[in-house]
Amino acid sequence: MKNGFVIAIDGPAGAGKSTIARKAAAALGFAYIDTGAMYRSVTWKLLQTGQPFSPELAGRLAREIRISFRPEGSLNCVFVDGTEVTEAIRSAAVTGLVSRVAAVPAVREAMVAQQRRMGREGDVILDGRDIGTVVFPDSPCKIYLTASVEERARRRGKELEAKGQAVDYDKLQADIVSRDKQDMERETSPLKQAEDAVYLDTSHMSIDEVVGAILKLAAERRLRA
Ligand code: DC
């Protein structure tokens, strides 16, 4: 079966990938797969068991888990084995553990297989860390989305403040630096820019400008594909 048109967006934590990918997918009528949410879902499931983290347990849960997405307005709702986990997978407990879970080769193998299956179902945008390098290396439309650490911390801080939470900006920056390091230095599928990805630094761009740039690129690449 022929793949649909796959748009691959990779980049570090807090670069705005999910907001941008969701909006671009809605504009194009494509499905959107937030692969970070998939690693978060496995982490959530592991925490639900009450057992301590081990690569074996994480791998087994990743093979068993059923993850699905449903867009609802400005939300991309996430379901694990039928339970809605949209908010739960953003908790501090999940965020604190997810990089370790995502570094387990058996977890990555199971997630990549699911992502490829979803990508075969039609036109799709996926965002993550290894989409253009590992999951869909043949994608004709790859973007590496990033922004300065300061700007990423500022955006995340604003989100938290909007939810009424107190924000420690120094700690936010330190957390982002530490997650970048874990994601870029892990052995299996580290975060890196694919050679043929378009580099987009969004530090001084609005969301609409970034979405516009991606739609333009997608239109050019679709003509060529
Ligand atoms: O984008 P995010 O913060 O929701 O990602 C959560 C974690 O999952 C992050 O530590 C990186 C990891 N991840 C990954 O290793 N590969 C992907 N394709 C997507 C996310």
Side-chain angles (χ1 to χ4, degrees):
M1 187 177 156
K2 194 181 175 308
N3 276 357
F5 189 81
V6 173
I7 300 178
I9 303 182
D10 290 302
K17 295 186 302 291
S18 25
T19 307
I20 305 291
R22 182 176 47 72
K23 288 196 162 211
L28 290 164
F30 280 29
Y32 165 46
I33 297 166
D34 175 350
T35 65
M38 296 175 72
Y39 292 97
R40 286 174 179 274
S41 294
V42 175
T43 308
W44 175 81
K45 195 167 164 154
L46 191 146
L47 289 168
Q48 289 294 105
T49 66
Q51 295 177 54
F53 165 83
S54 74
E56 293 70 29
L57 176 61
R60 179 168 67 73
L61 296 175
R63 284 189 293 276
E64 289 170 7
I65 199 169
R66 287 285 155 264
I67 303 169
S68 57
F69 295 102
R70 194 194 315 139
E72 264 181 40
S74 67
L75 271 186
N76 184 37
C77 297
V78 187
F79 297 83
V80 167
D81 305 327
T83 301
E84 191 182 345
V85 296
T86 316
E87 277 290 317
I89 60 169
R90 308 281 156 200
S91 71
V94 169
T95 302
L97 185 61
V98 65
S99 287
R100 287 179 74 192
V101 171
V104 176
V107 171
R108 302 205 70 84
E109 209 174 288
M111 293 299 104
V112 169
Q114 276 207 32
Q115 289 154 17
R116 288 186 179 144
R117 264 200 306 279
M118 291 165 160
R120 276 197 289 272
E121 286 169 6
D123 298 328
V124 67
I125 298 188
L126 297 99
D127 78 0
R129 305 294 191 284
D130 60 340
I131 309 302
T133 50
V134 174
V135 186
F136 287 104
D138 295 334
S139 156
C141 188
K142 301 180 187 176
I143 297 112
Y144 189 84
L145 204 69
T146 188
S148 67
V149 170
E150 294 76 15
E151 178 59 20
R152 288 188 277 141
R154 197 187 65 78
R155 291 177 188 168
R156 180 80 186 119
K158 268 177 56 183
E159 262 172 37
L160 295 173
E161 278 169 356
K163 287 187 193 162
Q165 297 181 27
V167 176
D168 175 343
Y169 279 89
D170 289 340
K171 180 166 184 311
L172 267 187
Q173 273 201 31
D175 286 350
I176 287 180
V177 170
S178 141
R179 276 224 282 157
D180 283 359
K181 192 169 151 60
Q182 288 193 58
D183 292 341
M184 289 174 181
E185 291 181 0
R186 70 170 175 234
E187 222 156 276
T188 317
S189 310
L191 167 65
K192 65 169 191 266
Q193 184 182 347
E195 274 178 22
D196 52 349
V198 172
Y199 181 89
L200 212 53
D201 181 337
T202 71
S203 300
H204 305 290
M205 291 172 83
S206 69
I207 291 174
D208 285 346
E209 283 170 339
V210 181
V211 173
I214 290 175
L215 296 183
K216 187 163 169 275
L217 182 73
E220 288 165 12
R221 297 293 164 90
R222 265 179 123 174
L223 283 178
R224 275 203 247 153

